Amino acid sequence: MIAPAWMHQQITAAQYGSWSEEQCAGIEIVDGMVVVSPSASRRHNRLVRLITNALDTAGGPGWKADSDFDLRLQDVPLTNRRPDVVVYRADTLDIMPARPEHVLLVAEVVSPGSESTDRFVKAGEYARADITYYWRVEQPAGGVPLVYAHILDPAAGTYRDAGVWAGVVEAVAPFQVTIDLTRL
């Protein structure tokens, strides 16, 4: 199978903006290059839904939580990520792609094949974009999910540890929220 030519060339924001929603689904753009993301497992999707729903409720009228949409980290070279969960200002609901200044928290559920990217690469990108909170959800084989919370240290431009939860999240920031991830 031969990949289409556009998968071997840097994509600009203007080119990406002309693509249909179907063309943009399931991909990220990193330094202008298309990165295809495989379909997630049902376990992954359920974790994303539990976290998204809980954060959406906890955020009240000022904040929304959703999944699977573009977060434009930079225009040149184009970098769009599709975090598993994004908490963003409610008044930016119709602004697409979302921008880091609209976002309070991103969460990534680590999957086989994305371990290094979710643990290191994306965390660095989100920190450089000044996104205050980053949650990484690990899925140990046969165990309960672990949520590693991180908060931005603006002076250092990196995240520092803000807590770890096994199975049940009992967060006080950015919102008071309890999420029982054992209910898969």
Side-chain angles (χ1 to χ4, degrees):
M1 180 174 169
I2 297 174
W6 55 264
M7 290 187 76
H8 302 286
Q9 302 168 2
Q10 275 197 317
I11 304 300
T12 66
Q15 288 170 311
Y16 187 79
S18 72
W19 292 359
S20 71
E21 195 172 310
E22 285 179 346
Q23 288 173 296
C24 297
I27 65 169
E28 294 180 319
I29 309 293
V30 180
D31 292 331
M33 301 303 291
V34 174
V35 177
V36 178
S37 300
S39 295
S41 70
R42 288 187 303 222
R43 175 175 296 277
H44 179 280
N45 291 338
R46 288 193 58 78
L47 284 168
V48 167
R49 189 169 62 245
L50 285 170
I51 295 166
T52 302
N53 290 346
L55 289 171
D56 193 58
T57 300
W63 297 96
K64 300 291 181 198
D66 281 307
S67 60
D68 196 33
F69 65 83
D70 284 341
L71 173 57
R72 176 77 44 93
L73 296 177
Q74 66 184 36
D75 290 313
V76 179
L78 180 61
T79 299
N80 280 357
R81 288 294 189 179
R82 295 180 77 87
D84 290 319
V85 180
V86 180
V87 175
Y88 58 95
R89 289 191 347 246
D91 64 345
T92 64
L93 176 69
D94 295 317
I95 298 174
M96 290 305 284
R99 297 290 183 153
E101 58 269 21
H102 306 151
V103 175
L104 179 63
L105 177 147
V106 292
E108 295 287 356
V109 177
V110 178
S111 297
S114 72
E115 294 96 338
S116 295
T117 301
D118 290 338
R119 290 180 186 138
F120 306 110
V121 176
K122 287 183 180 181
E125 290 173 347
Y126 298 146
R128 284 188 297 280
D130 291 327
I131 296 171
T132 305
Y133 297 95
Y134 175 63
W135 288 6
R136 188 183 77 246
V137 183
E138 299 277 349
Q139 307 177 70
V144 297
L146 299 169
V147 178
Y148 295 86
H150 306 276
I151 187 166
L152 185 65
D153 177 342
T158 59
Y159 288 112
R160 61 179 169 80
D161 293 340
V164 178
W165 299 284
V168 178
V169 174
E170 297 280 351
V172 294
F175 316 113
Q176 181 84 31
V177 65
T178 299
I179 311 169
D180 185 356
L181 298 180
T182 66
R183 297 182 315 126
L184 291 175

